[in-house]
Amino acid sequence: MNLALFFFGLAFAIIQNVESDEIVCPKQVIGKVDGSVTITCLYSVVPKANRHVRKYLCLQGTRLGRCGSTVTSTSGFIHPNYVDRVSLEDDREGTIVMIISNLRKTDGGTYICGMNNDMNSLKAVFIVAITEDSTIPNEAQLLYGQVHGKVNFHCEFEDQYAEQRKYLCKIEKNGYKKIIDSSGAIDPLYLGRIILEVDEQRLSSFTVRMIQLKKEDSGIFLCGVGNCGTDGDNTEFDLRINEDTDIPQESRSLSTKINGSISAQCKYNPQKNYTLKFWCKWKDSACDPLIRSDGYVKYDFEGKLVLLDDPVNGTLHVLMNQITKKHEGWYWCVMTDGKQDQISTVQIIISEGNNQGLAGGKTMIVNKGETVQIPCYYPCRYKSYRKYWCKWNNLNCKEITSNVDDNENGMSVSCGTHQLVLTIESISLKDNGWYWCGVQKSGRYEETIAVQVIVEEPSGHAPNSEDRIPVDSRSNVNFVNPPSSSENKQNSLLPVLLSICAAILVASAVFFIIRLKRRNNTDLVSVGSYRTNISMTDLDNVVGKENPAVSDMQETDISGSKDGVKMKKKGSQEDIDYSCFLIHQNGSPNEENTV
């Protein structure tokens, strides 16, 4: 009989289905005679007036959805039949908790939880069933979320289930639909917005976090261990979604190219005091923080990622550049106060082709004290945008002023044709780091690129105590590796040999000038290792003689007569060059010194 009453009440509640989009209660609660029931109802706080209006509990009358008699309310009223047996608490944060104790069979029936008054009210209808059975069927836990909001399914089971698979599935008309499990399987409709976290202290317990809620997410869920709907154990949840939200949202998918950048905006309620904001990369079982507002930056993302917070407008800007293929995937933007948090998702997609936006170098290595100019090239479409340079750090990217007259740190910005040039005068070691060039339009940050500047000491600088060569205490001579004896001989002989060769070359040149001058001729002369046509007249002019060349004079071979036997000239240029080669060959063989 009691079981029949239970099913009747459940069916009656489903038929009634009179509930508001802004206040929800469980459809059915069951209690035992002399026991108690707790009814938790949830309401939207988007209209702020909802926090302060009267809340009440009443028995439904003869008209559906209308009160017959009030049981209790936040104004302090309690019906005589419920004195000392009923309570109603409103935390003004969206939760109403009602408790009826010392239950009687006559307490069973249809109740209404509402706000304001019966004539002008937001209401939810539910059934209270009273049974004398020793066991009561598990009731579905009520979860209430807003569109774009989040909910947590807390699932706790006995230790015997620690090693079994954990899951969350949804009950649909055609059976069970698996949403996520601990093996990593995820329904495609929930990619990027759900994770399953196992409690490390107690492996039989876990939490499923679902974010970016949609209206179609509402329904009955089973959180369990083993296999959904067959073996193991489970807990039932009734998820309701309210369409009203105070969280404005934008596009969730951002596309960029290899080596490109993204700019994401995460909106939040500026009235809420979030103590920590961070950006993390989503995985099936966790979301790995990459950067936090407290200054933490994951090593691989130093110089690549920054958070720019605008608490007045409730906007967190996430700028990331130097993107590679491994950065593709889902990211979460999280705001939390330690108890409550707000999460939104962003998907980064890598598209094909080359980046056609901002361009510039990736790394610059410069000497201390130099004046450095770092160019940033931009396409014509950015001409009307605001361009800027900033210096990156763990907490922000501090903009560098474009006002040259107010230049206290030696930095200035000038703009040429399609380029923005950052000039750093007399660069110092403190200027080491990442510099970002970016564009901004209507207050929104857009594309960025990063250049790493590495400042080094000049090569001729005086050594510091750390790199100074050790000195022998007995002398002022630095301990260095002395050259070998052969190197000493070679180094001392080389200047002498070069001097001898130079003297021979000069004497040879004078000899040829005097000899050729007598013949009043023009010849092909070797000077060093280069051969060229040099006029004897030019050579005469060099020594101050006036002896113009005769145009019809026959050219004579200085190596001998045409008909006679060719004799090698003792003072020929070839002999001189060959002698110099032999000298060098004995001293220091070097291909550059051979002829």
Side-chain angles (χ1 to χ4, degrees), residues 156 216 271 274 449 452 581:
E156 296 186 4
E216 53 268 28
Q271 303 298 322
Y274 293 117
I449 62 169
Q452 186 179 19
F581 169 75

Side-chain angles (χ1 to χ4, degrees), residues 307-539:
L307 299 180
L308 302 177
D309 192 12
D310 182 1
V312 175
N313 296 315
T315 304
L316 183 69
H317 299 268
V318 181
L319 306 182
M320 186 164 73
N321 53 42
Q322 307 170 66
I323 290 176
T324 62
K325 191 66 178 177
K326 69 179 182 180
H327 296 140
E328 192 170 40
W330 292 87
Y331 293 79
W332 286 14
C333 196
V334 183
M335 273 71 69
T336 181
D337 60 5
K339 296 180 180 180
Q340 296 181 343
D341 52 41
Q342 177 195 313
I343 307 172
S344 56
T345 62
V346 175
Q347 183 183 17
I348 295 180
I349 300 172
I350 306 296
S351 57
E352 299 295 329
N354 297 322
N355 186 33
Q356 301 297 323
L358 299 178
K362 294 182 179 180
T363 305
M364 292 187 67
I365 302 176
V366 298
N367 288 329
K368 175 184 175 183
E370 292 181 348
T371 295
V372 179
Q373 289 189 324
I374 311 173
C376 173
Y377 303 94
Y378 60 89
C380 291
R381 68 176 183 270
Y382 287 153
K383 263 195 166 184
S384 62
Y385 285 50
R386 176 178 174 269
K387 275 79 69 175
Y388 65 91
W389 277 98
C390 64
K391 187 175 182 184
W392 180 92
N393 62 60
N394 289 32
L395 291 172
N396 54 40
C397 196
K398 186 177 181 182
E399 269 195 38
I400 299 170
T401 177
S402 60
N403 187 349
V404 179
D405 296 332
D406 188 23
N407 180 18
E408 297 179 356
N409 57 4
M411 298 182 180
S412 62
V413 175
S414 62
C415 187
T417 305
H418 304 317
Q419 66 174 330
L420 190 72
V421 180
L422 172 64
T423 301
I424 307 177
E425 298 176 356
S426 187
I427 197 166
S428 63
L429 296 178
K430 67 179 179 62
D431 296 320
N432 265 307
W434 292 90
Y435 292 82
W436 284 25
C437 173
V439 294
Q440 187 181 23
K441 185 175 184 180
S442 302
R444 173 160 186 157
Y445 292 92
E446 300 286 348
E447 187 180 355
T448 59
I449 62 169
V451 180
Q452 186 179 19
V453 176
I454 302 172
V455 183
E456 296 181 341
E457 292 282 2
S459 57
H461 80 288
N464 297 323
S465 59
E466 296 178 355
D467 57 9
R468 191 180 298 277
I469 301 173
V471 178
D472 185 6
S473 59
R474 297 169 297 176
S475 68
N476 293 325
V477 180
N478 290 338
F479 282 99
V480 295
N481 294 326
S484 64
S485 58
S486 61
E487 290 175 341
N488 280 333
K489 291 179 181 179
Q490 179 179 329
N491 291 338
S492 61
L493 183 60
L494 185 59
V496 177
L497 296 177
L498 291 175
S499 299
I500 294 173
C501 286
I504 294 173
L505 286 172
V506 172
S508 176
V510 173
F511 173 78
F512 278 121
I513 291 171
I514 295 172
R515 183 164 181 173
L516 294 176
K517 176 185 172 183
R518 295 174 183 175
R519 298 191 179 189
N520 293 325
N521 206 348
T522 301
D523 200 0
L524 187 64
V525 180
S526 288
V527 180
S529 61
Y530 298 94
R531 300 179 67 84
T532 184
N533 290 319
I534 301 178
S535 169
M536 291 298 101
T537 303
D538 294 337
L539 292 178

Side-chain angles (χ1 to χ4, degrees), residues 240-261:
R240 317 282 185 87
I241 306 297
N242 176 31
E243 293 188 23
D244 292 335
T245 178
D246 60 352
I247 307 170
Q249 298 295 325
E250 297 187 357
S251 173
R252 298 293 90 201
S253 181
L254 299 174
S255 179
T256 186
K257 310 209 183 265
I258 297 294
N259 296 323
S261 66

